């Protein structure tokens, strides 16, 4: 039943549920928003006719419902014990754990690559960007600093090491998403404005990558170097992957730069080391993909020089934004 | 278990419900039933907590509405799975 008006309806309720969750003035309202989020996302993803989408929606439902019902129980315990103002206790650990499970952060991440493998690219985009907003903002309302720093370290390490053995592009982006979750959770602890900045840039980068893969209909890594893509598409792939990894002249470096600045000023040296080393591993496996994509199959015709096969304008614009936006952003605040 | 506080009953029910949820079962329906059991324990807990607020039980009703919605969503996914796989055994999942 591929019905676009159904999708519009559930998408509207999905957006609305996040707004309910983050703008409520009691924890119960937050729980209601999370429930409506689950209720409206499941019809969006179980909307096709193959076996895999049923299994995907089942796994998503089971993990998310368990997490949200645990969250509600912890809210009630917090209510009964009247622990509203001190944040570094065991109840905040339990509440943060359930929110981390909703987000797909390590150590509760095992459902995330499985589900990402079973969804189409546009559903993946919703799962990786929009579904993370409301658990993160709820995390920022009542977090336990030591617990979250430990979770961040686990996120970074699992996100970087888990992606090394993947051949499916969706799982690769899933592990990259887990790694970026580590950065985002740390930016929540710095300031919410910084989290918003990181999140917007991250979702823009993921949108560029996913729209590229969606237009080329690519789901696996061998599709990147077997078929003969245009040079500009490969260049766009290079720029977007390096931007996602956080390399300097590209857009993805800017939020990471601000976070590293904060880390070093406040003397979090060990954490800086872990952030840097795991970013290195991630850039390694991005470059491994791009290297084989560029070198393995380079096909150029002799008589016709510029073979523009696919629709290029959006891709060119996104490359331009990725390269130039960090430098152009310094001109805004003059 | 001689513990003279009602909060331990809720925590015990919740814990047992979670334990059955994460255990290896043959059928999916057992998992959904354990989810409903956790909902029941939270209902009881919520009732006892709200009794101290002079009969303002409205939040309990809202909670009940949302939990029933979630339970019915689980059942609809169960039905969808039975339509495509034939039964609700966990072993009929392919590796994702």
């Amino acid at each position: 039943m591929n019905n676009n008006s159904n999708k519009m309806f559930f998408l509207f309720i999905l957006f609305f549920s996040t707004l309910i969750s983050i703008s409520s003035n009691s924890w119960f309202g937050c729980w209601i928003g999370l429930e409506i989020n689950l209720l409206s996302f499941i019809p969006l993803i179980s909307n096709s006719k193959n076996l895999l989408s049923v299994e995907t929606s089942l796994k998503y439902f089971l993990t998310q419902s368990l997490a949200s019902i645990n969250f509600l129980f912890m809210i009630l315990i917090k209510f009964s014990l009247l622990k509203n103002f001190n944040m570094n206790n065991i109840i905040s650990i339990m509440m943060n754990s359930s929110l981390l499970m909703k987000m797909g952060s390590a150590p509760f991440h095992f459902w995330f690559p499985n589900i990402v493998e079973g969804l189409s690219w546009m559903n993946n985009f919703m799962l990786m960007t929009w579904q993370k907003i409301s658990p993160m903002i709820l995390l920022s309302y009542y977090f336990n600093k030591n617990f979250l720093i430990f979770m961040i370290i686990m996120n970074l390490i699992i996100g970087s090491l888990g992606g090394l053995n993947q051949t499916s592009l969706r799982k690769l982006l899933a592990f990259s998403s887990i790694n970026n979750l580590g950065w985002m959770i740390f930016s929540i602890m710095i300031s919410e404005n910084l989290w918003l900045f990181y999140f917007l840039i991250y979702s823009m980068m993921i949108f560029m990558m996913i729209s590229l893969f969606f237009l080329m209909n690519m789901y696996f890594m061998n599709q990147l170097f077997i078929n003969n893509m245009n040079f500009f598409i490969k260049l766009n792939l290079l720029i977007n992957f390096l931007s996602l990894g956080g390399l300097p002249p590209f857009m993805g470096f800017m939020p990471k730069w601000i976070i590293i600045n904060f880390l070093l000023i406040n003397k979090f040296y060990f954490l800086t080391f872990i952030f840097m080393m795991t970013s290195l591993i991630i850039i390694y496996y991005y470059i491994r993909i791009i290297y084989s994509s560029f070198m393995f199959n380079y096909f150029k015709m002799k008589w016709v020089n510029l073979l523009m096969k696919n629709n290029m304008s959006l891709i060119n614009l996104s490359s331009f934004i990725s390269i130039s936006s960090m430098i152009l952003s310094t001109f805004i605040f003059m | 278990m001689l513990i003279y506080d009602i909060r331990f009953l809720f925590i015990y029910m919740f814990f047992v419900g979670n334990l059955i949820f994460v255990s290896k079962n043959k059928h999916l329906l057992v998992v959904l039933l354990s989810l409903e059991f956790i909902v029941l324990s939270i209902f009881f807990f919520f009732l006892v907590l709200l009794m101290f607020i002079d009969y303002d039980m409205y939040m309990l009703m809202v909670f009940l509405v949302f939990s029933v919605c979630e339970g019915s969503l689980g059942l609809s996914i169960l039905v969808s799975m039975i339509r495509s796989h034939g039964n609700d055994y966990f072993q009929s999942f392919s590796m994702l």
Side-chain angles (χ1 to χ4, degrees):
Chain A
M1 193 167 49
N2 267 332
N3 204 347
N4 275 333
S5 64
N6 274 344
K7 285 189 177 163
M8 257 196 316
F9 173 67
F10 287 118
L11 207 62
F12 172 71
I13 298 185
L14 186 77
F15 291 149
F16 207 63
S17 75
T18 305
L19 295 179
I20 290 176
S21 183
I22 64 184
S23 66
S24 76
N25 49 7
S26 85
W27 283 104
F28 191 61
C30 301
W31 177 75
I32 286 179
L34 290 176
E35 285 288 305
I36 301 177
N37 200 3
L38 176 65
L39 284 175
S40 63
F41 194 63
I42 297 276
L44 284 177
I45 64 180
S46 71
N47 207 3
S48 82
K49 293 178 188 150
N50 53 350
L51 281 174
L52 222 54
S53 76
V54 173
E55 201 176 316
T56 301
S57 63
L58 178 72
K59 283 185 181 171
Y60 186 75
F61 170 73
L62 286 179
T63 53
Q64 298 277 311
S65 64
L66 182 72
S68 74
I69 216 128
N70 282 356
F71 184 57
L72 182 66
F73 189 74
M74 290 308 146
I75 289 172
L76 291 181
I77 292 223
K78 175 166 127 33
F79 175 54
S80 76
L81 290 176
L82 294 174
K83 287 204 176 297
N84 282 325
F85 293 109
N86 49 343
M87 292 203 322
N88 290 317
N89 49 8
I90 198 162
I91 297 192
S92 65
I93 290 182
M94 299 299 294
M95 284 174 75
N96 287 352
S97 294
S98 53
L99 286 173
L100 290 175
M101 192 150 96
K102 286 213 86 106
M103 280 198 277
S105 126
F108 312 109
H109 69 284
F110 294 99
W111 58 276
F112 194 61
N114 288 339
I115 286 183
V116 163
E117 180 70 17
L119 296 178
S120 66
W121 276 120
M122 281 305 150
N123 286 334
N124 274 335
F125 175 63
M126 288 308 296
L127 180 63
M128 285 189 216
T129 56
W130 189 265
Q131 298 287 89
K132 312 244 188 269
I133 291 183
S134 88
M136 285 215 185
I137 295 188
L138 294 182
L139 199 66
S140 75
Y141 290 159
Y142 194 68
F143 62 84
N144 188 345
K145 182 175 79 87
N146 297 324
F147 177 70
L148 272 191
I149 288 185
F150 183 59
M151 289 302 128
I152 287 165
I153 295 177
M154 284 187 74
N155 264 329
L156 295 170
I157 294 178
I158 287 180
S160 63
L161 294 180
L164 279 174
N165 200 16
Q166 302 296 333
T167 56
S168 157
L169 282 174
R170 286 177 286 193
K171 279 194 180 166
L172 200 72
L173 280 186
F175 281 107
S176 152
S177 175
I178 293 176
N179 191 37
N180 276 308
L181 261 184
W183 288 86
M184 279 198 265
I185 295 176
F186 190 72
S187 72
I188 283 179
M189 290 178 9
I190 299 174
S191 108
E192 276 212 27
N193 231 348
L194 180 62
W195 171 77
L196 189 64
F197 181 62
Y198 193 107
F199 181 77
L200 284 175
I201 291 187
Y202 171 69
S203 50
M204 206 183 331
M205 289 190 297
I206 287 279
F207 177 67
M208 289 182 206
M209 300 234 52
I210 287 185
S211 62
L212 177 70
F213 291 140
F214 175 65
L215 289 171
M216 304 284 298
N217 202 14
M218 289 196 291
Y219 289 94
F220 294 97
M221 264 200 310
N222 58 351
Q223 288 172 311
L224 281 173
F225 53 82
I226 278 183
N227 48 4
N228 174 29
M229 292 190 283
N230 198 357
F231 173 66
F232 290 104
I233 298 182
K234 286 185 194 171
L235 196 63
N236 184 42
L237 192 72
L238 169 78
I239 290 171
N240 280 333
F241 261 129
L242 291 179
S243 170
L244 196 60
L247 223 47
F250 305 114
M251 184 167 68
F253 177 59
M254 179 103 167
K256 298 193 176 180
W257 186 15
I258 300 178
I259 292 178
I260 292 170
N261 195 18
F262 178 82
L263 278 169
L264 288 173
I265 283 178
N266 291 297
K267 303 193 178 68
F268 283 95
Y269 293 133
F270 180 64
L271 204 54
T272 312
F273 177 70
I274 294 188
F275 272 111
M276 292 294 103
M277 290 299 139
T278 51
S279 282
L280 225 72
I281 299 179
I282 286 197
I283 292 180
Y284 163 68
Y285 65 71
Y286 288 161
I287 290 184
R288 193 172 63 176
I289 298 173
I290 300 164
Y291 181 77
S292 59
S293 160
F294 266 111
M295 306 287 179
F296 194 77
N297 188 0
Y298 184 61
F299 179 80
K300 189 172 171 186
M301 287 171 54
K302 264 187 175 174
W303 304 106
V304 178
N305 264 338
L306 278 173
L307 185 66
M308 293 276 201
K309 272 198 294 189
N310 313 94
N311 188 9
M312 292 299 301
S313 55
L314 186 66
I315 294 178
N316 279 334
L317 182 66
S318 70
S319 301
F320 177 70
I321 292 176
S322 284
I323 296 177
S324 63
S325 63
M326 200 169 85
I327 300 182
L328 287 181
S329 71
T330 60
F331 294 145
I332 297 178
F333 302 102
M334 261 161 64
Chain B
M1 230 156 91
L2 293 175
I3 299 177
Y4 298 108
D5 193 356
I6 191 129
R7 286 191 294 227
F8 285 100
L9 175 66
F10 307 133
I11 296 177
Y12 185 61
M13 273 175 80
F14 172 76
F15 183 71
V16 164
N18 267 336
L19 196 65
I20 298 186
F21 189 94
V22 302
S23 305
K24 178 181 171 191
N25 300 310
K26 205 161 89 167
H27 291 275
L28 179 64
L29 198 56
V30 176
V31 175
L32 296 179
L33 277 175
S34 72
L35 210 58
E36 293 303 313
F37 188 67
I38 300 174
V39 163
L40 193 69
S41 82
I42 293 183
F43 186 84
F44 192 17
F45 192 15
F46 220 156
L47 181 72
V48 168
L49 278 184
L50 290 178
M51 271 198 314
F52 296 112
I53 316 182
D54 289 340
Y55 298 113
D56 271 335
M57 303 276 186
Y58 306 111
M59 281 212 294
L60 190 65
M61 285 298 114
V62 174
F63 161 71
L64 196 62
V65 164
F66 278 104
S67 304
V68 164
C69 281
E70 181 190 335
S72 66
L73 179 73
L75 279 176
S76 66
I77 290 182
L78 178 79
V79 165
S80 163
M81 206 186 126
I82 288 183
R83 285 184 74 169
S84 61
H85 287 266
N87 46 20
D88 64 341
Y89 293 148
F90 269 110
Q91 275 123 10
S92 60
F93 284 169
S94 59
M95 285 293 289
L96 264 183

